[in-house]
Amino acid sequence: MVKANNTILQFYLEMMDSFGKYLSEKHPNSASIEDTKHYQTVIIMKIVQMFHSLELLTKNTLDEVSARCVLRGILDSVTSYSFIYQRTDENDMLFRHYLYALDGWRECKKSVIIISEENEYKDKEDFAYDFVIKQIEEKLKNHTYYTQDRATANLLIQNSNWKYESLQNPRSLKYGEMYSAIGFNNKSIEYFQGYLSQFVHGLCLSNKPIADSEQMNSVLYECIPIADKFIQTINQTLHDKEMMKNFISSDRINKLLNSKDFNLDELSEFAIALVQKDKTLLI
């Protein structure tokens, strides 16, 4: 079993930052919902920022509850990204992509509220959201899946259900099932659902004593298997060899390798474990 450590984590964070910068320059702002590369870039940048927020929390506070809530948020975001975009079937990916965007815009519309004089939350009309939602719905109705099975497609559109198992069985998967679908092992899934969820939902673990710095480092290192999955998914969904070449030749990797905190033996041990597909890197 490879011990999680700061060298491995910093290597992953540098890789994420490099990928994010490269993709932001290659796939700049786009108003088209069909531009899946730009859409993925936006998601990737959000997730990278979450990793850095976790690092800040664990290094500057003893707030284990918040740190583990962020860790669960990272996990779910990486899972969603991988579940939607890591598809061999382009039609399936695109249909889920539209549904995911639809789900997001519909939820955003719900957040456009006003507070009445009676301190009640009420919906506020926002035609900009309605316009975008209508555009996405039209894209979905022009998709080949809509032609093949209109009844099922309409059901998925009605529920913004990008989590569907298949067109033949369009039930919405739970996050635990999606963790499994993208390749996490049973031990990891048990940890994600059982242990992390107690912090997120404020159950018995919210009464734990305040963590010390060693425990906070442990929280940070527990994100390494998720970071590994994130990096794999970026490479496998975008198929951009230049992105990795850009990282390897960058000043940031040379700076990391020459850092006094960098331990090449630790990184080598970790790399060997990955090649051998050691699934016990953390748990």
Side-chain angles (χ1 to χ4, degrees):
M1 181 173 181
V2 179
K3 182 181 179 182
N5 57 70
N6 192 58
T7 296
I8 297 166
L9 179 66
Q10 290 306 316
F11 185 80
Y12 271 125
L13 289 175
E14 289 291 345
M15 193 181 298
M16 288 180 204
D17 286 340
S18 176
F19 285 5
K21 184 175 184 296
Y22 173 86
L23 292 171
S24 295
E25 293 173 354
K26 186 170 182 177
H27 305 290
N29 290 343
S30 172
S32 174
I33 191 65
E34 293 176 289
D35 188 350
T36 59
K37 300 297 186 185
H38 168 68
Y39 211 92
Q40 287 184 64
T41 299
V42 172
I43 296 170
I44 289 166
M45 292 304 296
K46 178 193 74 172
I47 296 173
V48 170
Q49 185 59 60
M50 292 174 75
F51 272 105
H52 281 293
S53 293
L54 179 64
E55 184 184 29
L56 286 172
L57 263 174
T58 54
K59 288 187 174 181
N60 297 320
T61 77
L62 295 177
D63 185 0
E64 184 182 5
V65 173
S66 295
R68 291 195 180 278
C69 287
V70 174
L71 181 58
R72 175 62 182 269
I74 291 171
L75 167 69
D76 288 356
S77 293
V78 170
T79 298
S80 300
Y81 170 61
S82 180
F83 185 76
I84 294 165
Y85 295 102
Q86 198 170 3
R87 299 267 162 190
T88 55
D89 186 335
E90 186 75 12
N91 282 326
D92 189 31
M93 182 277 288
L94 193 58
F95 199 65
R96 291 180 192 273
H97 162 75
Y98 288 143
L99 287 171
Y100 186 59
L102 182 64
D103 190 24
W105 280 98
R106 283 175 172 172
E107 290 301 315
C108 280
K109 183 183 176 182
K110 292 178 184 178
S111 70
V112 182
I113 57 175
I114 56 174
I115 301 177
S116 69
E117 293 180 358
E118 295 78 23
N119 292 323
E120 294 178 341
Y121 292 100
K122 294 185 176 181
D123 291 337
K124 180 182 178 182
E125 288 188 350
D126 193 304
F127 297 106
Y129 285 96
D130 291 333
F131 175 79
V132 176
I133 289 168
K134 184 178 179 181
Q135 295 298 310
I136 299 172
E137 289 173 344
E138 288 179 0
K139 293 290 184 185
L140 284 160
K141 290 179 180 179
N142 287 324
H143 190 279
T144 184
Y145 282 2
Y146 195 84
T147 305
Q148 292 174 7
D149 187 345
R150 182 170 297 190
T152 299
N154 274 327
L155 180 64
L156 294 173
I157 294 169
Q158 178 183 340
N159 296 318
S160 310
N161 183 14
W162 53 271
K163 303 174 188 174
Y164 65 90
E165 182 174 355
S166 66
L167 290 183
Q168 293 72 35
N169 185 12
R171 73 181 185 91
S172 180
L173 296 182
K174 297 179 180 179
Y175 266 94
E177 294 174 301
M178 286 196 291
Y179 300 155
S180 177
I182 70 169
F184 285 113
N185 61 28
N186 290 335
K187 200 72 176 176
S188 297
I189 294 168
E190 180 182 329
Y191 167 78
F192 295 150
Q193 288 190 299
Y195 190 62
L196 282 184
S197 65
Q198 294 196 58
F199 289 94
V200 176
H201 300 298
L203 303 180
C204 62
L205 286 175
S206 62
N207 299 319
K208 280 184 63 179
I210 293 177
D212 56 27
S213 58
E214 185 175 342
Q215 285 173 288
M216 295 303 290
N217 279 334
S218 176
V219 178
L220 187 61
Y221 298 155
E222 285 171 21
C223 76
I224 288 176
I226 306 172
D228 179 62
K229 171 59 67 177
F230 182 42
I231 293 294
Q232 286 182 44
T233 303
I234 293 173
N235 280 311
Q236 292 170 10
T237 57
L238 295 173
H239 307 292
D240 192 331
K241 294 180 180 179
E242 291 301 317
M243 182 171 60
M244 182 59 78
K245 288 180 182 178
N246 180 72
F247 169 62
I248 293 172
S249 62
S250 67
D251 291 337
R252 65 170 64 243
I253 186 62
N254 290 323
K255 185 177 179 181
L256 177 64
L257 291 173
N258 293 321
S259 168
K260 64 178 182 179
D261 298 322
F262 185 82
N263 188 318
L264 186 58
D265 290 337
E266 289 178 348
L267 188 62
S268 298
E269 185 183 8
F270 183 72
I272 291 169
L274 286 179
V275 170
Q276 294 174 343
K277 301 192 184 306
D278 180 356
K279 300 302 182 182
T280 62
L281 291 172
L282 171 64
I283 301 169

